[in-house]
Coordinates of all heavy atoms in Angstrom, one line a residue:
M805 N -5.9 -33.8 18.4 CA -6.3 -32.6 17.7 C -5.5 -32.6 16.3 O -4.3 -32.8 16.3 CB -6.0 -31.3 18.5 CG -6.4 -30.1 17.8 SD -6.0 -28.6 18.8 CE -7.6 -28.3 19.5
G806 N -6.2 -32.4 15.2 CA -5.7 -32.4 13.9 C -5.0 -31.0 13.6 O -5.1 -30.0 14.3
K807 N -4.3 -31.1 12.5 CA -3.6 -29.9 12.0 C -4.6 -28.9 11.5 O -5.5 -29.3 10.7 CB -2.6 -30.2 10.9 CG -1.8 -29.1 10.4 CD -0.8 -29.6 9.4 CE 0.0 -28.4 8.8 NZ 0.9 -28.8 7.8
V808 N -4.5 -27.6 11.9 CA -5.4 -26.6 11.4 C -4.9 -26.0 10.1 O -3.7 -25.7 9.9 CB -5.5 -25.4 12.4 CG1 -6.4 -24.3 11.9 CG2 -6.1 -26.0 13.7
Q809 N -5.8 -25.9 9.1 CA -5.4 -25.4 7.8 C -6.1 -24.0 7.6 O -7.3 -23.9 7.7 CB -5.9 -26.3 6.6 CG -5.7 -25.8 5.2 CD -4.3 -25.6 4.9 OE1 -3.4 -26.5 5.2 NE2 -3.9 -24.5 4.2
N810 N -5.3 -23.0 7.5 CA -5.8 -21.7 7.2 C -6.4 -21.6 5.8 O -5.8 -22.1 4.9 CB -4.7 -20.6 7.4 CG -4.2 -20.5 8.8 OD1 -4.9 -20.7 9.7 ND2 -2.9 -20.3 9.0
D811 N -7.5 -21.0 5.7 CA -8.1 -20.8 4.4 C -8.0 -19.4 3.8 O -8.3 -19.2 2.6 CB -9.6 -21.3 4.4 CG -10.5 -20.4 5.3 OD1 -10.0 -19.5 5.9 OD2 -11.7 -20.7 5.3
T812 N -7.6 -18.5 4.7 CA -7.5 -17.1 4.2 C -6.4 -16.4 5.0 O -6.2 -16.6 6.2 CB -8.8 -16.3 4.6 OG1 -9.9 -17.0 4.0 CG2 -8.8 -14.9 4.1
I813 N -5.6 -15.5 4.3 CA -4.7 -14.6 5.0 C -5.0 -13.2 4.6 O -5.5 -12.9 3.4 CB -3.2 -15.0 4.6 CG1 -2.9 -14.8 3.2 CG2 -2.9 -16.4 5.1 CD1 -1.4 -14.8 2.9
I814 N -4.9 -12.3 5.5 CA -5.1 -10.9 5.3 C -3.8 -10.2 5.3 O -3.0 -10.3 6.2 CB -6.0 -10.3 6.4 CG1 -7.4 -11.0 6.3 CG2 -6.2 -8.8 6.2 CD1 -8.3 -10.7 7.5
L815 N -3.5 -9.5 4.2 CA -2.3 -8.7 4.1 C -2.5 -7.4 4.8 O -3.1 -6.5 4.2 CB -1.8 -8.5 2.6 CG -1.7 -9.8 1.8 CD1 -1.2 -9.5 0.4 CD2 -0.7 -10.8 2.5
G816 N -2.0 -7.2 6.0 CA -2.4 -6.1 6.8 C -1.4 -4.9 6.7 O -1.5 -4.0 7.5
C817 N -0.6 -4.9 5.8 CA 0.4 -3.7 5.6 C 0.4 -3.3 4.2 O 0.2 -4.1 3.2 CB 1.8 -4.2 6.1 SG 2.9 -2.8 6.2
T818 N 0.6 -2.0 4.0 CA 0.5 -1.4 2.6 C 1.5 -1.9 1.6 O 1.2 -1.9 0.4 CB 0.6 0.1 2.7 OG1 1.9 0.4 3.3 CG2 -0.5 0.7 3.5
H819 N 2.6 -2.4 2.1 CA 3.7 -2.9 1.1 C 3.5 -4.4 0.8 O 4.2 -4.8 -0.1 CB 5.1 -2.5 1.6 CG 5.5 -3.3 2.8 ND1 5.1 -3.0 4.1 CD2 6.2 -4.4 2.9 CE1 5.6 -3.8 4.9 NE2 6.3 -4.7 4.3
Y820 N 2.7 -5.1 1.4 CA 2.6 -6.5 1.2 C 2.2 -6.8 -0.3 O 2.6 -7.8 -0.8 CB 1.6 -7.2 2.1 CG 2.2 -7.4 3.5 CD1 1.4 -7.7 4.6 CD2 3.6 -7.4 3.8 CE1 1.9 -7.9 5.9 CE2 4.1 -7.5 5.0 CZ 3.3 -7.8 6.1 OH 3.8 -8.0 7.3
P821 N 1.3 -6.0 -0.9 CA 1.0 -6.3 -2.3 C 2.2 -6.4 -3.2 O 2.2 -7.1 -4.2 CB 0.0 -5.2 -2.7 CG -0.7 -4.8 -1.4 CD 0.4 -5.0 -0.4
L822 N 3.3 -5.6 -2.9 CA 4.5 -5.7 -3.6 C 5.1 -7.1 -3.6 O 5.8 -7.5 -4.5 CB 5.5 -4.7 -3.1 CG 5.1 -3.2 -3.3 CD1 6.2 -2.4 -2.6 CD2 5.1 -2.9 -4.8
L823 N 4.8 -7.8 -2.5 CA 5.4 -9.2 -2.3 C 4.4 -10.3 -2.7 O 4.7 -11.4 -2.5 CB 5.7 -9.3 -0.8 CG 6.7 -8.3 -0.2 CD1 6.7 -8.5 1.3 CD2 8.0 -8.4 -0.8
M824 N 3.3 -9.9 -3.3 CA 2.3 -10.8 -3.7 C 2.8 -12.1 -4.5 O 2.4 -13.2 -4.1 CB 1.1 -10.2 -4.5 CG 0.0 -11.1 -4.8 SD -1.0 -11.5 -3.3 CE -1.9 -10.0 -3.1
P825 N 3.6 -11.9 -5.5 CA 4.1 -13.1 -6.2 C 4.8 -14.1 -5.3 O 4.6 -15.3 -5.4 CB 5.1 -12.5 -7.3 CG 4.6 -11.1 -7.5 CD 4.1 -10.7 -6.1
K826 N 5.6 -13.6 -4.4 CA 6.3 -14.5 -3.5 C 5.4 -15.1 -2.4 O 5.5 -16.3 -2.1 CB 7.5 -13.8 -2.8 CG 8.6 -13.5 -3.7 CD 9.8 -12.9 -3.0 CE 10.9 -12.6 -4.0 NZ 12.2 -12.7 -3.6
I827 N 4.4 -14.3 -2.0 CA 3.5 -14.8 -1.0 C 2.7 -16.0 -1.7 O 2.5 -17.0 -1.1 CB 2.5 -13.7 -0.5 CG1 3.3 -12.7 0.4 CG2 1.3 -14.3 0.2 CD1 2.6 -11.5 0.7
L828 N 2.2 -15.7 -2.9 CA 1.4 -16.8 -3.6 C 2.2 -18.0 -3.9 O 1.7 -19.1 -3.9 CB 0.8 -16.2 -4.9 CG -0.2 -15.1 -4.7 CD1 -0.6 -14.5 -6.0 CD2 -1.4 -15.6 -3.9
K829 N 3.5 -17.8 -4.1 CA 4.4 -19.0 -4.4 C 4.4 -20.0 -3.3 O 4.5 -21.2 -3.5 CB 5.8 -18.4 -4.8 CG 6.8 -19.5 -5.1 CD 8.2 -18.9 -5.4 CE 9.2 -20.0 -5.6 NZ 10.5 -19.4 -5.9
Y830 N 4.4 -19.5 -2.1 CA 4.5 -20.3 -0.9 C 3.2 -20.7 -0.2 O 3.3 -21.4 0.8 CB 5.5 -19.7 0.1 CG 6.9 -19.6 -0.4 CD1 7.4 -18.4 -1.0 CD2 7.7 -20.7 -0.5 CE1 8.7 -18.3 -1.5 CE2 9.0 -20.7 -1.0 CZ 9.5 -19.5 -1.5 OH 10.7 -19.4 -2.1
L831 N 2.1 -20.2 -0.7 CA 0.8 -20.6 -0.1 C 0.3 -21.9 -0.7 O 0.4 -22.1 -1.9 CB -0.2 -19.5 -0.4 CG -0.2 -18.2 0.5 CD1 -1.3 -17.3 0.1 CD2 -0.4 -18.6 2.0
P832 N -0.3 -22.7 0.2 CA -1.0 -23.9 -0.4 C -2.1 -23.5 -1.3 O -2.7 -22.4 -1.1 CB -1.5 -24.6 0.9 CG -0.8 -23.9 2.1 CD -0.4 -22.6 1.6
A833 N -2.4 -24.4 -2.2 CA -3.6 -24.1 -3.1 C -4.8 -24.0 -2.3 O -5.0 -24.6 -1.3 CB -3.7 -25.3 -4.1
G834 N -5.7 -23.0 -2.8 CA -7.0 -22.8 -2.1 C -7.0 -21.8 -1.0 O -8.1 -21.5 -0.5
V835 N -5.8 -21.3 -0.7 CA -5.8 -20.2 0.4 C -6.1 -18.9 -0.3 O -5.5 -18.5 -1.2 CB -4.5 -20.2 1.1 CG1 -4.4 -19.0 2.1 CG2 -4.2 -21.5 1.8
R836 N -7.1 -18.2 0.3 CA -7.5 -16.9 -0.3 C -6.7 -15.8 0.4 O -6.4 -15.8 1.5 CB -9.0 -16.7 0.1 CG -9.6 -15.4 -0.5 CD -11.1 -15.3 -0.3 NE -11.3 -14.9 1.1 CZ -12.1 -14.0 1.5 NH1 -12.9 -13.4 0.6 NH2 -12.2 -13.7 2.8
V837 N -6.3 -14.8 -0.5 CA -5.5 -13.7 0.0 C -6.3 -12.5 -0.1 O -6.9 -12.2 -1.1 CB -4.2 -13.5 -0.9 CG1 -3.4 -12.3 -0.5 CG2 -3.3 -14.8 -0.9
V838 N -6.4 -11.7 1.0 CA -7.1 -10.5 1.1 C -6.2 -9.3 1.3 O -5.7 -9.1 2.4 CB -8.2 -10.5 2.2 CG1 -9.0 -9.2 2.3 CG2 -9.1 -11.7 2.1
P839 N -5.9 -8.6 0.2 CA -5.0 -7.4 0.4 C -5.9 -6.2 0.9 O -6.9 -5.9 0.5 CB -4.5 -7.1 -1.0 CG -5.5 -7.7 -1.9 CD -6.2 -8.8 -1.2
Q840 N -5.4 -5.6 2.0 CA -6.2 -4.6 2.7 C -6.3 -3.3 1.9 O -7.2 -2.5 2.1 CB -5.6 -4.3 4.1 CG -4.1 -3.9 4.1 CD -3.8 -2.5 3.7 OE1 -4.6 -1.6 4.0 NE2 -2.7 -2.3 3.1
G841 N -5.4 -3.0 1.0 CA -5.4 -1.7 0.3 C -6.7 -1.4 -0.4 O -7.2 -0.2 -0.3
E842 N -7.3 -2.3 -1.0 CA -8.6 -2.1 -1.7 C -9.7 -1.8 -0.7 O -10.5 -0.9 -1.0 CB -9.0 -3.4 -2.5 CG -8.0 -3.7 -3.6 CD -8.3 -5.1 -4.2 OE1 -9.5 -5.5 -4.2 OE2 -7.3 -5.7 -4.7
Y843 N -9.7 -2.4 0.4 CA -10.7 -2.2 1.4 C -10.6 -0.8 2.1 O -11.5 -0.1 2.3 CB -10.7 -3.3 2.5 CG -11.1 -4.6 1.9 CD1 -10.1 -5.6 1.6 CD2 -12.4 -4.9 1.6 CE1 -10.5 -6.8 1.0 CE2 -12.8 -6.1 1.0 CZ -11.8 -7.1 0.7 OH -12.1 -8.2 0.1
V844 N -9.3 -0.4 2.3 CA -9.0 0.9 2.9 C -9.5 2.0 1.9 O -10.1 2.9 2.3 CB -7.5 1.0 3.3 CG1 -7.2 2.5 3.7 CG2 -7.2 0.1 4.4
A845 N -9.1 1.8 0.6 CA -9.5 2.8 -0.4 C -11.0 2.9 -0.5 O -11.6 4.0 -0.6 CB -8.9 2.4 -1.7
E846 N -11.7 1.8 -0.5 CA -13.2 1.8 -0.6 C -13.8 2.5 0.6 O -14.8 3.2 0.5 CB -13.8 0.4 -0.9 CG -13.6 0.0 -2.3 CD -14.3 0.8 -3.3 OE1 -15.4 1.3 -3.1 OE2 -13.7 1.1 -4.4
S847 N -13.3 2.2 1.8 CA -13.8 2.7 3.0 C -13.6 4.3 3.0 O -14.5 5.0 3.4 CB -13.0 2.1 4.2 OG -13.5 2.7 5.4
L848 N -12.4 4.7 2.6 CA -12.1 6.1 2.5 C -13.0 6.8 1.5 O -13.6 7.9 1.8 CB -10.7 6.4 2.2 CG -10.3 7.9 2.0 CD1 -10.5 8.7 3.3 CD2 -8.8 8.0 1.6
K849 N -13.2 6.2 0.4 CA -14.1 6.8 -0.6 C -15.5 6.9 0.0 O -16.2 8.0 -0.2 CB -14.2 5.9 -1.9 CG -15.1 6.4 -2.9 CD -15.1 5.4 -4.1 CE -16.1 5.9 -5.1 NZ -16.3 4.9 -6.2
S850 N -16.0 5.9 0.6 CA -17.3 5.9 1.2 C -17.4 7.0 2.3 O -18.4 7.8 2.3 CB -17.7 4.6 1.8 OG -18.9 4.6 2.6
Y851 N -16.4 7.2 3.1 CA -16.4 8.2 4.1 C -16.5 9.6 3.5 O -17.2 10.4 4.0 CB -15.1 8.0 5.0 CG -15.0 9.1 6.0 CD1 -15.7 9.0 7.3 CD2 -14.3 10.3 5.8 CE1 -15.6 10.0 8.2 CE2 -14.2 11.3 6.7 CZ -14.9 11.1 8.0 OH -14.8 12.1 8.9
L852 N -15.6 9.8 2.5 CA -15.6 11.1 1.9 C -17.0 11.5 1.2 O -17.4 12.6 1.2 CB -14.5 11.3 0.9 CG -13.1 11.3 1.6 CD1 -12.0 11.2 0.5 CD2 -12.9 12.4 2.5
E853 N -17.6 10.5 0.6 CA -18.9 10.7 0.0 C -20.0 11.0 1.1 O -20.9 11.8 0.8 CB -19.3 9.4 -0.8 CG -18.6 9.2 -2.0 CD -18.8 7.9 -2.7 OE1 -19.5 7.0 -2.1 OE2 -18.4 7.7 -3.9
R854 N -19.8 10.5 2.3 CA -20.8 10.8 3.3 C -20.4 12.1 4.1 O -21.2 12.6 4.8 CB -20.8 9.6 4.3 CG -21.5 8.4 3.7 CD -21.5 7.2 4.7 NE -20.2 6.6 4.8 CZ -19.4 6.5 5.9 NH1 -19.9 6.9 7.0 NH2 -18.3 5.9 5.9
H855 N -19.2 12.6 3.9 CA -18.8 13.8 4.6 C -18.2 14.8 3.6 O -17.0 15.0 3.5 CB -17.7 13.4 5.6 CG -18.2 12.5 6.7 ND1 -18.2 11.2 6.6 CD2 -18.8 12.8 7.9 CE1 -18.7 10.6 7.7 NE2 -19.1 11.6 8.5
P856 N -19.0 15.4 2.8 CA -18.6 16.3 1.7 C -17.8 17.5 2.3 O -16.9 18.0 1.6 CB -19.8 16.7 1.0 CG -21.0 16.4 1.9 CD -20.5 15.3 2.8
N857 N -18.0 17.9 3.5 CA -17.3 19.0 4.1 C -15.8 18.6 4.3 O -14.9 19.4 4.1 CB -17.9 19.4 5.4 CG -17.9 18.2 6.4 OD1 -18.2 17.1 6.1 ND2 -17.7 18.5 7.7
I858 N -15.5 17.4 4.6 CA -14.1 16.9 4.7 C -13.5 16.7 3.3 O -12.4 17.1 3.0 CB -14.0 15.5 5.4 CG1 -14.6 15.7 6.8 CG2 -12.6 15.0 5.4 CD1 -13.8 16.6 7.8
E859 N -14.3 16.1 2.4 CA -13.8 15.9 1.0 C -13.5 17.3 0.4 O -12.5 17.4 -0.4 CB -14.9 15.2 0.2 CG -14.4 14.7 -1.1 CD -14.5 15.7 -2.3 OE1 -15.2 16.6 -2.2 OE2 -13.7 15.5 -3.2
A860 N -14.2 18.3 0.6 CA -13.9 19.6 0.1 C -12.6 20.2 0.5 O -12.0 21.0 -0.2 CB -15.1 20.6 0.4
K861 N -12.1 19.8 1.7 CA -10.8 20.3 2.2 C -9.6 19.5 1.6 O -8.5 20.0 1.8 CB -10.8 20.1 3.7 CG -11.8 21.0 4.4 CD -11.7 20.8 5.9 CE -12.7 21.7 6.6 NZ -12.7 21.5 8.1
C862 N -9.9 18.4 0.9 CA -8.8 17.6 0.3 C -8.3 18.4 -0.9 O -9.0 18.8 -1.8 CB -9.3 16.2 -0.1 SG -9.8 15.2 1.3
S863 N -7.0 18.4 -1.0 CA -6.4 19.0 -2.2 C -6.5 18.1 -3.4 O -6.5 16.8 -3.2 CB -4.9 19.4 -2.0 OG -4.2 18.3 -1.7
K864 N -6.6 18.6 -4.6 CA -6.8 17.8 -5.8 C -5.8 18.2 -6.8 O -5.5 19.3 -7.0 CB -8.2 17.9 -6.3 CG -9.2 17.7 -5.2 CD -10.5 17.2 -5.5 CE -11.4 16.9 -4.4 NZ -11.5 17.6 -3.2
G865 N -5.2 17.2 -7.4 CA -4.2 17.5 -8.5 C -2.9 18.1 -8.0 O -2.2 18.7 -8.8
A866 N -2.6 18.0 -6.7 CA -1.4 18.6 -6.1 C -0.2 17.7 -6.5 O -0.3 16.5 -6.8 CB -1.5 18.7 -4.6
A867 N 1.0 18.4 -6.5 CA 2.2 17.6 -6.8 C 2.6 17.0 -5.5 O 2.4 17.5 -4.4 CB 3.3 18.6 -7.2
V868 N 3.2 15.8 -5.6 CA 3.7 15.1 -4.4 C 5.2 14.9 -4.5 O 5.8 14.6 -5.6 CB 3.1 13.6 -4.4 CG1 3.6 12.9 -3.2 CG2 1.6 13.7 -4.3
H869 N 5.9 15.2 -3.4 CA 7.4 15.1 -3.4 C 7.7 14.3 -2.1 O 7.2 14.6 -1.0 CB 8.0 16.5 -3.3 CG 9.5 16.5 -3.5 ND1 10.1 16.6 -4.7 CD2 10.5 16.4 -2.6 CE1 11.4 16.5 -4.5 NE2 11.6 16.4 -3.3
Y870 N 8.5 13.3 -2.3 CA 8.8 12.4 -1.2 C 10.2 12.7 -0.6 O 11.1 13.1 -1.3 CB 8.8 10.9 -1.6 CG 7.5 10.5 -2.1 CD1 7.1 10.7 -3.4 CD2 6.6 9.9 -1.2 CE1 5.8 10.3 -3.9 CE2 5.3 9.6 -1.6 CZ 4.9 9.7 -3.0 OH 3.7 9.4 -3.4
L871 N 10.3 12.6 0.8 CA 11.5 12.8 1.5 C 11.8 11.4 2.2 O 10.9 10.8 2.7 CB 11.4 13.9 2.5 CG 11.0 15.2 2.0 CD1 10.8 16.2 3.2 CD2 12.0 15.8 1.0
T872 N 13.1 11.0 2.1 CA 13.4 9.7 2.7 C 14.8 9.8 3.4 O 15.6 10.6 3.0 CB 13.5 8.6 1.7 OG1 13.8 7.4 2.3 CG2 14.5 8.8 0.6
T873 N 14.9 9.0 4.5 CA 16.2 9.0 5.1 C 17.1 7.8 4.6 O 18.3 7.7 4.9 CB 16.0 8.7 6.6 OG1 15.3 7.5 6.8 CG2 15.3 9.9 7.3
E874 N 16.5 7.0 3.7 CA 17.3 5.9 3.1 C 17.8 6.4 1.7 O 17.7 7.5 1.3 CB 16.4 4.7 2.9 CG 15.3 4.8 1.9 CD 14.6 3.5 1.7 OE1 15.1 2.7 0.8 OE2 13.6 3.2 2.3
N875 N 18.4 5.5 1.0 CA 18.9 5.8 -0.3 C 17.8 6.2 -1.2 O 16.8 5.5 -1.5 CB 19.6 4.5 -0.9 CG 20.1 4.7 -2.3 OD1 19.5 5.2 -3.2 ND2 21.4 4.3 -2.4
P876 N 17.9 7.5 -1.8 CA 16.7 8.0 -2.6 C 16.5 7.2 -3.8 O 15.4 7.1 -4.3 CB 17.1 9.4 -2.8 CG 18.6 9.5 -2.6 CD 18.9 8.4 -1.6
N877 N 17.5 6.6 -4.4 CA 17.4 5.9 -5.7 C 16.6 4.6 -5.4 O 15.7 4.2 -6.1 CB 18.7 5.6 -6.3 CG 19.3 6.8 -6.9 OD1 18.6 7.7 -7.3 ND2 20.6 6.9 -6.8
K878 N 17.0 3.9 -4.3 CA 16.3 2.7 -3.9 C 14.8 3.0 -3.5 O 13.9 2.3 -4.0 CB 16.9 2.1 -2.6 CG 16.3 0.8 -2.1 CD 17.1 0.3 -0.9 CE 16.4 -0.9 -0.4 NZ 17.0 -1.4 0.8
F879 N 14.6 4.1 -2.8 CA 13.2 4.5 -2.5 C 12.4 4.8 -3.7 O 11.3 4.3 -3.9 CB 13.2 5.7 -1.5 CG 11.9 6.2 -1.2 CD1 11.3 5.8 0.0 CD2 11.1 7.1 -2.0 CE1 10.0 6.2 0.4 CE2 9.9 7.5 -1.6 CZ 9.3 7.1 -0.4
K880 N 13.0 5.5 -4.6 CA 12.3 5.9 -5.9 C 11.9 4.7 -6.7 O 10.8 4.6 -7.1 CB 13.2 6.8 -6.7 CG 12.6 7.3 -8.0 CD 13.5 8.3 -8.7 CE 12.9 8.8 -9.9 NZ 13.7 9.9 -10.5
E881 N 12.8 3.7 -6.8 CA 12.6 2.5 -7.6 C 11.4 1.7 -6.9 O 10.5 1.3 -7.6 CB 13.8 1.6 -7.6 CG 13.7 0.3 -8.3 CD 14.9 -0.5 -8.3 OE1 16.0 0.0 -8.4 OE2 14.8 -1.7 -8.0
Q882 N 11.4 1.6 -5.6 CA 10.4 0.8 -5.0 C 9.0 1.6 -5.0 O 8.0 1.0 -5.2 CB 10.8 0.5 -3.5 CG 11.9 -0.5 -3.5 CD 12.5 -0.7 -2.1 OE1 12.2 0.0 -1.2 NE2 13.3 -1.7 -1.9
A883 N 9.1 2.9 -4.8 CA 7.9 3.7 -4.8 C 7.2 3.7 -6.2 O 6.0 3.6 -6.3 CB 8.2 5.1 -4.4
Q884 N 8.0 3.7 -7.2 CA 7.4 3.7 -8.6 C 6.8 2.4 -8.9 O 5.7 2.3 -9.6 CB 8.5 4.1 -9.6 CG 8.9 5.5 -9.6 CD 10.0 5.9 -10.5 OE1 10.1 7.1 -10.8 NE2 10.8 5.1 -11.1
I885 N 7.3 1.3 -8.4 CA 6.7 0.0 -8.5 C 5.3 0.0 -7.8 O 4.3 -0.5 -8.4 CB 7.6 -1.2 -8.0 CG1 8.8 -1.3 -8.9 CG2 6.8 -2.5 -7.9 CD1 9.9 -2.2 -8.3
F886 N 5.3 0.5 -6.6 CA 4.1 0.5 -5.8 C 3.0 1.5 -6.3 O 1.9 1.1 -6.4 CB 4.5 0.8 -4.4 CG 3.3 0.8 -3.4 CD1 2.8 -0.5 -3.0 CD2 2.8 1.9 -2.9 CE1 1.8 -0.5 -2.1 CE2 1.7 1.8 -2.0 CZ 1.2 0.6 -1.6
L887 N 3.5 2.7 -6.7 CA 2.5 3.7 -7.1 C 2.2 3.7 -8.6 O 1.2 4.4 -9.0 CB 3.1 5.1 -6.7 CG 3.3 5.3 -5.3 CD1 4.1 6.6 -5.0 CD2 2.0 5.3 -4.5
H888 N 3.0 3.0 -9.4 CA 2.8 3.0 -10.9 C 2.8 4.3 -11.5 O 2.1 4.6 -12.4 CB 1.4 2.3 -11.2 CG 1.3 0.9 -10.6 ND1 2.0 -0.2 -11.1 CD2 0.6 0.5 -9.6 CE1 1.7 -1.2 -10.4 NE2 0.8 -0.9 -9.5
E889 N 3.7 5.2 -11.0 CA 3.9 6.5 -11.6 C 5.3 7.0 -11.1 O 5.8 6.6 -10.1 CB 2.8 7.5 -11.1 CG 2.8 7.7 -9.6 CD 1.6 8.7 -9.2 OE1 0.5 8.5 -9.8 OE2 1.8 9.5 -8.4
P890 N 5.8 8.0 -11.9 CA 7.1 8.6 -11.5 C 7.0 9.3 -10.2 O 6.0 9.9 -9.9 CB 7.5 9.5 -12.6 CG 6.5 9.2 -13.7 CD 5.3 8.5 -13.1
V891 N 8.1 9.3 -9.4 CA 8.1 10.0 -8.1 C 9.4 10.9 -8.0 O 10.4 10.5 -8.6 CB 8.0 9.1 -6.9 CG1 6.7 8.3 -6.9 CG2 9.2 8.1 -6.8
E892 N 9.2 12.0 -7.3 CA 10.4 12.8 -7.0 C 10.8 12.6 -5.6 O 9.9 12.6 -4.7 CB 10.0 14.3 -7.2 CG 9.6 14.7 -8.6 CD 10.8 14.5 -9.6 OE1 12.0 14.8 -9.1 OE2 10.6 14.1 -10.7
V893 N 12.1 12.4 -5.3 CA 12.6 12.0 -4.0 C 13.8 12.8 -3.7 O 14.7 13.0 -4.5 CB 12.9 10.5 -4.0 CG1 13.4 10.1 -2.6 CG2 11.8 9.6 -4.4
D894 N 13.9 13.2 -2.4 CA 15.1 13.8 -1.9 C 15.5 13.1 -0.6 O 14.6 12.7 0.2 CB 14.9 15.3 -1.6 CG 15.0 16.2 -2.8 OD1 15.9 15.9 -3.7 OD2 14.3 17.1 -2.9
N895 N 16.7 13.0 -0.4 CA 17.3 12.4 0.9 C 17.4 13.5 1.9 O 17.8 14.6 1.6 CB 18.6 11.8 0.6 CG 19.2 11.1 1.8 OD1 20.0 11.7 2.5 ND2 18.8 9.9 2.1
I896 N 17.0 13.1 3.2 CA 17.1 14.1 4.3 C 17.8 13.4 5.4 O 17.8 12.1 5.5 CB 15.8 14.6 4.8 CG1 14.8 13.5 5.2 CG2 15.1 15.5 3.7 CD1 13.6 14.0 6.0
T897 N 18.4 14.1 6.3 CA 19.0 13.6 7.5 C 18.2 14.1 8.7 O 18.0 15.3 8.8 CB 20.5 14.0 7.6 OG1 21.2 13.6 6.5 CG2 21.1 13.4 8.9
L898 N 17.8 13.2 9.6 CA 17.1 13.6 10.8 C 18.0 13.8 12.0 O 19.0 13.1 12.1 CB 16.0 12.6 11.2 CG 15.0 12.3 10.1 CD1 14.0 11.2 10.6 CD2 14.2 13.5 9.8
G899 N 17.7 14.8 12.8 CA 18.5 14.9 14.0 C 19.3 16.1 14.0 O 20.1 16.7 14.5

C-alpha cells in the first residue's frame, strides 16, 4: 500500500485562521485549505434570511465587551488581530 497524500485540510476551529501563515508554511504544495469561518458565516446569513422572525430578534449595532480569565492585555492583542477592530476587555476570576 502506497503513502496517502492529503489534498485538502479543513480548519475546524475559529482560531485556526490566525495560524494560517504557519499552516501554509508546512503544507506540501497543492494542498487546499478550507477555513470554516466563511462557511459558518454564509450558513448563518442564509438561515437568518430564511427566518426573519429570528433575525428580527438579533441586536444590531450593540457594543461588545469581553471578559476573560487570562491576561486581559494578551487577550486584547489576540482578539484585535482576529476581529480587526479595537476590543474592550476586563479580567474576571471564576469561582
Side-chain angles (χ1 to χ4, degrees):
M805 184 182 258
K807 184 177 176 183
V808 175
Q809 174 66 40
N810 295 324
D811 63 356
T812 304
I813 64 168
I814 299 171
L815 304 181
C817 191
T818 55
H819 69 278
Y820 286 163
L822 295 173
L823 302 172
M824 186 69 78
K826 289 189 182 207
I827 292 170
L828 293 175
K829 179 179 177 181
Y830 293 101
L831 280 179
V835 175
R836 185 175 76 133
V837 178
V838 180
Q840 55 77 34
E842 296 170 28
Y843 296 102
V844 171
E846 284 299 318
S847 178
L848 177 58
K849 179 182 175 188
S850 173
Y851 177 85
L852 292 173
E853 287 171 348
R854 290 178 285 121
H855 298 87
N857 57 322
I858 300 295
E859 193 275 337
K861 293 179 181 181
C862 295
S863 61
K864 308 211 178 31
V868 178
H869 190 89
Y870 296 90
L871 304 174
T872 182
T873 57
E874 70 172 272
N875 178 310
N877 293 326
K878 180 179 176 184
F879 180 94
K880 182 176 184 171
E881 179 182 317
Q882 293 172 349
Q884 289 178 160
I885 291 169
F886 185 72
L887 299 170
H888 305 287
E889 62 183 42
V891 299
E892 295 296 324
V893 181
D894 278 323
N895 181 262
I896 61 169
T897 302
L898 300 177

